[in-house]
Amino acid sequence: MYMKKNVGWWFGWVCFMATSAFAQNSPAQPDPFLPYLNFLVTEHNFGIIQPGTVVEFTFKFTNTGKTPLLLANVRTTCGCTAIEWTRTPVAPGERGFVTARFDTSGKSGQQHKVITVISNAANEQQRILIRAKVGASAP
């Protein structure tokens, strides 16, 4: 009888410690009073495109937070990618955009360009991606 009580106690203690460890590692909830940057799509693949082509894609986002969202900066990993973005505050529930224009001149093979969006949102730094294969398609 003593052994059953002891095993039950140890099992309960192990379960408690395991749930405590998971609770400490869970991500913090965003501040409910901050804006929140929510992209509809975070990656776009242009597929196979010919060298010298300029392609463009517009990433749309919504401010799902409670206060106005302002994009402070948008950076790219390459000078071959030009960026335009919403420069005015985006009210809660409203949409904005980040447009990436990729010039394939001088490029070949697989391309992967990271665009970093910095804002005043709870998720202040977001990354969006464009991909393409520059060159002729396989026969």
Side-chain angles (χ1 to χ4, degrees), residues 42-109:
T42 58
E43 183 176 332
H44 179 74
N45 190 336
F46 290 107
I48 300 171
I49 51 181
Q50 296 302 313
T53 304
V54 177
V55 291
E56 180 178 294
F57 183 78
T58 299
F59 294 91
K60 296 177 183 171
F61 65 85
T62 303
N63 175 5
T64 57
K66 302 288 185 195
T67 57
L69 170 69
L70 184 60
L71 301 187
N73 196 7
V74 180
R75 299 187 304 237
T76 66
T77 55
C78 177
C80 59
T81 307
I83 303 295
E84 293 179 25
W85 69 88
T86 302
R87 296 188 184 261
T88 57
V90 179
E94 296 295 317
R95 287 190 174 178
F97 70 91
V98 174
T99 299
R101 189 173 303 112
F102 174 51
D103 184 352
T104 64
S105 298
K107 304 288 182 193
S108 65

Side-chain angles (χ1 to χ4, degrees), residues 10-21:
W10 279 106
F11 179 76
W13 184 80
V14 169
C15 290
F16 171 77
M17 293 306 290
T19 57
S20 296

Side-chain angles (χ1 to χ4, degrees), residues 5 8 22 25 37 42 45 49 61 64-65 100 103 120 131 134-135 139:
K5 286 183 181 179
F22 285 116
N25 291 333
L37 180 59
T42 58
N45 190 336
I49 51 181
F61 65 85
T64 57
D103 184 352
N120 66 331
R131 297 178 188 269
V134 180

